[in-house]
Amino acid sequence: MASVKVKFRPSSVNGKEGSIYYQVIHNRAVRQITADLHVHENEWNTGTSSVMIPTWADVDRKYHLHIIQKHISRDVLRLENIIRNLTLKGVCSADAIVDGYRKQTSLQSFFNFMDSVIGQLKRLNRERTSETYASALSSFMRFRRNKDIQLDDMDEDLAMEYEAWLKTNDASLNTISFYMRILRATYNRAVEKGLTTQKHPFRHVYTGMDKTVKRAISLKDIRRIKELDLTGKPHWELARDMFLFSFYTRGMSFIDMAYLKKSNLKNGILSYRRHKTGQQLHIRWESCMEETVKKYAAGCSGDYLLPILKLPSKKLRSQYKSTLFRINKYLKEIARLCGIAAPLTMYVSRHSWASIAKSKNIPISVISEGMGHDSEETTRIYLASLDGSVIDKANSLILKDL
């Protein structure tokens, strides 16, 4: 019968932590597994082969030692389960036990599992989602100082520590929520695959949506941008015209603009499918849209309607992102020239169309359909951050009567 012993190896350097390892024995064959756990010699009880928590240790050290003992108990239990399963199959050996442990450890690593999720998203051509997952993983790895963690060790305390770390690094509430929701989705996926048990580690951290800063500008500002003389500044002019085209087309997102093809325009109707939701939208072709397309017809590549994806040999996703970066950079300069205080980006055109439509008493249901939202509730959330200026105007009217 195989057995597992927990061992401690003191450091040869005085005052330095020693190493904990597991000794697997089967039919006199002995193998060792490094646990990557370290304690001082006076924190180890040789008689019980367990961590000893000194009474003089401070609170943080006691907590740290408690976590190490928790790791040891979990690892021993895993090894015993592996031995039991291999014995039932009749293939138990010291090497098989060690191999089974290492394979399971790799599979149950949070970093590795999330990396596999990102890889799957890429294979499904969900590039944008894979990038958001990669961003969340990168942030979590910085918090962990690149030290991996097992799925079983994801708990409420760790999630709250990560939240506190994000706050000390000046992350906004929406950024915190963004990362937490992605990590939660990854963890839930691991639970579904049976790699860990559901402990709801994210129940006490912020996963809501904070009210964002108003990103819409007025129709007067839109006119000012349209009438701005940008003679001799072709890059600025392109940025301005792409911003206006988005506004003309009910706040079309930049990624949808980038992939528009001439075949999307038939019989005076521009039809396209949103990259984000897959929803089919139809827009009546107006003269202002036609003027923009004609202006840049010579600079368009192949069947594309707009001059955004111009290098067929280059990766389309990276080309789209670099073009968006440049356009947003020029839009900020255009905002400065027009005396617009709000940071101008392509996304502002979408917000602005929704805000102006609302100010003209267009029903939420119509705005929702026009923007390609999945539901009116999404549109209400979207418009919620745009009400501040209306409230401020109402307050000014009240104060004038004082």
Side-chain angles (χ1 to χ4, degrees):
M1 181 66 183
S3 63
V4 179
K5 293 182 180 179
V6 184
K7 297 285 188 176
F8 173 74
R9 185 183 295 112
S11 173
S12 58
V13 179
N14 191 34
K16 193 175 179 182
E17 292 178 324
S19 304
I20 294 167
Y21 64 96
Y22 308 126
Q23 192 178 75
V24 177
I25 306 169
H26 184 266
N27 290 340
R28 298 184 182 179
V30 181
R31 299 291 183 270
Q32 290 183 4
I33 299 173
T34 304
D36 196 25
L37 300 171
H38 306 276
V39 295
H40 291 291
E41 196 166 359
N42 62 0
E43 296 169 335
W44 183 254
N45 188 324
T46 306
T48 60
S49 293
S50 63
V51 174
M52 183 174 63
I53 302 177
T55 54
W56 61 83
D58 61 29
V59 175
D60 288 343
R61 187 62 185 175
K62 285 179 179 178
Y63 176 73
H64 176 70
L65 293 171
H66 170 73
I67 294 298
I68 288 177
Q69 184 55 51
K70 190 175 166 185
H71 270 279
I72 294 170
S73 300
R74 182 209 66 201
D75 288 345
V76 170
L77 182 62
R78 282 172 57 204
L79 282 163
E80 288 173 350
N81 286 335
I82 290 167
I83 291 168
R84 190 177 302 111
N85 291 333
L86 290 172
T87 302
L88 287 171
K89 292 175 183 177
V91 292
C92 192
S93 70
D95 288 331
I97 294 165
V98 172
D99 287 344
Y101 177 85
R102 285 174 178 160
K103 283 176 184 174
Q104 200 178 85
T105 300
S106 176
L107 188 66
Q108 293 188 332
S109 143
F110 188 85
F111 291 0
N112 286 348
F113 180 73
M114 193 162 180
D115 216 29
S116 71
V117 172
I118 292 167
Q120 184 184 38
L121 288 168
K122 286 179 179 177
R123 289 192 297 276
L124 293 171
N125 292 321
R126 295 176 62 186
E127 287 281 346
R128 187 172 180 182
T129 307
S130 73
E131 287 170 3
T132 60
Y133 271 63
S135 175
L137 176 58
S138 177
S139 169
F140 188 62
M141 287 175 72
R142 286 197 301 276
F143 157 70
R144 292 282 303 163
R145 296 182 181 176
N146 289 323
K147 187 174 182 181
D148 206 346
I149 186 169
Q150 294 295 293
L151 287 162
D152 286 342
D153 292 327
M154 292 293 289
D155 57 22
E156 296 173 17
D157 290 337
L158 182 68
M160 289 190 289
E161 285 171 21
Y162 178 45
E163 181 182 52
W165 180 84
L166 287 169
K167 286 177 179 176
T168 59
N169 283 274
D170 299 322
S172 68
L173 280 176
N174 281 342
T175 299
I176 291 170
S177 176
F178 173 76
Y179 287 146
M180 290 298 181
R181 283 182 284 120
I182 289 174
L183 293 184
R184 183 178 63 188
T186 303
Y187 176 83
N188 288 343
R189 192 176 294 202
V191 171
E192 287 172 9
K193 288 180 175 289
L195 298 176
T196 188
T197 54
Q198 181 60 268
K199 298 194 292 280
H200 302 286
F202 300 94
R203 76 177 88 190
H204 296 310
V205 295
Y206 184 70
T207 55
M209 288 297 290
D210 193 36
K211 208 170 186 180
T212 55
V213 177
K214 179 176 176 283
R215 286 191 279 184
I217 58 176
S218 67
L219 196 56
K220 185 178 178 182
D221 287 332
I222 300 282
R223 285 197 201 98
R224 195 177 293 135
I225 291 169
K226 185 179 180 180
E227 293 164 4
L228 187 64
D229 183 8
L230 294 174
T231 305
K233 295 181 176 179
H235 298 306
W236 295 42
E237 194 170 3
L238 173 66
R240 185 264 307 278
D241 291 343
M242 293 302 99
F243 178 88
L244 291 174
F245 187 87
S246 171
F247 184 78
Y248 298 155
T249 52
R250 308 191 312 227
M252 187 186 293
S253 66
F254 190 72
I255 191 164
D256 292 330
M257 286 172 54
Y259 287 93
L260 281 179
K261 293 197 171 178
K262 292 166 187 173
S263 58
N264 291 117
L265 180 59
K266 288 179 182 175
N267 302 319
I269 300 293
L270 180 66
S271 302
Y272 72 99
R273 195 174 292 279
R274 286 199 69 200
H275 271 68
K276 187 174 183 180
T277 64
Q279 187 175 351
Q280 185 82 26
L281 296 180
H282 307 281
I283 301 173
R284 187 174 66 188
W285 196 244
E286 304 285 356
S287 58
C288 54
M289 304 172 195
E290 180 66 22
E291 286 170 13
T292 305
V293 168
K294 278 187 175 178
K295 183 175 179 179
Y296 293 99
C300 292
S301 173
D303 295 328
Y304 288 111
L305 199 63
L306 295 170
I308 298 171
L309 304 176
K310 297 193 288 186
L311 301 170
S313 58
K314 231 178 141 185
K315 258 186 105 177
L316 296 181
R317 178 72 182 167
S318 59
Q319 193 177 165
Y320 145 77
K321 286 174 68 179
S322 61
T323 305
L324 177 59
F325 175 80
R326 288 195 303 274
I327 283 177
N328 280 337
K329 183 178 75 171
Y330 293 123
L331 285 175
K332 285 176 177 59
E333 292 300 317
I334 288 169
R336 183 181 57 79
L337 288 177
C338 292
I340 298 169
L344 199 62
T345 65
M346 283 298 299
Y347 206 63
V348 172
S349 68
R350 186 166 174 80
H351 269 264
S352 300
W353 188 87
S355 178
I356 293 166
K358 187 183 179 187
S359 71
K360 293 186 176 297
N361 298 316
I362 294 171
I364 294 289
S365 59
V366 176
I367 298 173
S368 180
E369 190 170 340
M371 300 186 77
H373 283 159
D374 290 331
S375 68
E376 288 183 31
E377 186 56 34
T378 303
T379 310
R380 286 192 181 92
I381 294 169
Y382 196 88
L383 289 167
S385 63
L386 308 178
D387 289 332
S389 61
V390 177
I391 297 167
D392 289 339
K393 285 178 183 176
N395 188 45
S396 296
L397 290 172
I398 292 167
L399 295 178
K400 280 179 182 177
D401 291 335
L402 281 175

